[in-house]
Amino acid sequence: MDQSMWHLRWHIFTAVFVLANCARAQVAVTPAETTPSIYVVNVEAVTPEREDDYYVNLLRLILAASKAPNEHIELRFSDRQFTQWRWLIELSNTESTNNLLWTVTSNHRETLLRPIRIPLFKGLIGARLMVIRRQDEARFKQITSLQDLQQLVAGQGANWPDTAVLKANGLPVTEGVGKEQLYKMLAAKRFDYFPRGVTEIANETAFLQRYDLVVAPNWYLSYPAAMYFFVNKDNEELAKRMESGFERLIDNGEFEQFFKSHPRIKNGLPYLVNRKPLLLSNPSLPKSMPINQPRYWYGETGGGY
């Protein structure tokens, strides 16, 4: 072999070797660049029993609307079951992680936590149906005013904002811990009626059937209220992300579609059709509530039901 041919083959071999190593280097880098980052949100609640859980599915939509292209959202639920008040205290003391919960707002709760001030149910959480014992239907048909209702006793949860609203409007209240206990107390005649949100009743028909309960005729309670997502007061990053994602869902119509199609709304709203509101005031209502932004509320007026 002459020397020129040998040099040619050597250069070809060297070029192939260099290209092969470059290709291997590129293959080694590419997976690292495309591996999604994991964004974890710790939900202050136990894993929901129902696949159509309103809060969890809405939360997923909000986080997805604000996620980066290579980001994977992971929700982690607690393995402990606490009272609502205990969840609030837990979240207010948790600073370092992305912890979050949903609950009805009040002045006091907004001093403890950072609210995302977009009502999850468009204010319908303030439309409260009165669950009663079936044998008391005739008695409740005689009610014609708030003064009549003030002669009866409501059941409500200890530390629930709704309890303060009822008491502020002169309605006697017996307190319990948790909705299941309150349904049992109603059936046991510990009080006369149990106000439940029109967005809650669709998930609680099993209690009504078990204890032979019905929704009171003619009237429902109505007061301005909102349920929000809350985060720790120091977690402004998660709060801003939740706000931007939620606003995006409202702008593109996705939230409206989710809201109207969900069983909580579809099965709850018909209860309002033949019932009139007994209007109550809400002294615990934060002044920060965005009542002049109709896009957040059900109905044509801000906070209307």
Side-chain angles (χ1 to χ4, degrees), residues 160-219:
W160 290 4
D162 312 278
T163 303
V165 172
L166 298 178
K167 289 180 177 179
N169 287 272
L171 296 170
V173 179
T174 294
E175 296 181 21
V177 180
K179 67 182 178 185
E180 187 166 1
Q181 184 194 51
L182 285 158
Y183 272 115
K184 290 178 181 177
M185 291 170 67
L186 174 60
K189 300 185 178 181
R190 297 278 302 279
F191 49 79
D192 301 303
Y193 64 100
F194 182 19
R196 299 303 292 150
V198 70
T199 61
E200 298 168 326
I201 202 73
N203 276 9
E204 299 176 8
T205 54
F207 289 119
L208 276 64
Q209 294 167 359
R210 184 183 311 163
Y211 299 115
D212 196 26
L213 307 172
V214 296
V215 176
N218 301 340
W219 300 97

Side-chain angles (χ1 to χ4, degrees), residues 86-96 112-113 232:
R86 176 68 183 277
W87 285 125
L88 290 163
I89 298 303
E90 285 283 313
L91 181 54
S92 67
N93 292 330
T94 305
E95 299 178 6
S96 58
L112 296 174
L113 303 171
N232 183 274

Side-chain angles (χ1 to χ4, degrees), residues 83-152:
T83 63
Q84 188 178 107
W85 183 248
R86 176 68 183 277
W87 285 125
L88 290 163
I89 298 303
E90 285 283 313
L91 181 54
S92 67
N93 292 330
T94 305
E95 299 178 6
S96 58
T97 54
N98 280 346
N99 287 41
L100 169 149
L101 61 73
W102 50 82
T103 190
V104 175
T105 192
S106 69
N107 280 315
H108 181 52
R109 291 181 176 191
E110 292 198 19
T111 65
L112 296 174
L113 303 171
R114 166 64 158 90
I116 286 73
R117 291 191 180 92
I118 304 176
L120 305 188
F121 291 108
K122 297 191 171 190
L124 280 173
I125 199 69
R128 315 293 289 181
L129 301 164
M130 294 180 285
V131 178
I132 62 173
R133 296 177 290 274
R134 187 180 299 276
Q135 61 266 35
D136 288 343
E137 275 190 286
R139 182 184 185 190
F140 274 80
K141 283 181 180 177
Q142 305 304 312
I143 292 175
T144 60
S145 66
L146 181 60
Q147 288 69 32
D148 291 341
L149 193 61
Q150 287 169 343
Q151 309 310 307
L152 303 175

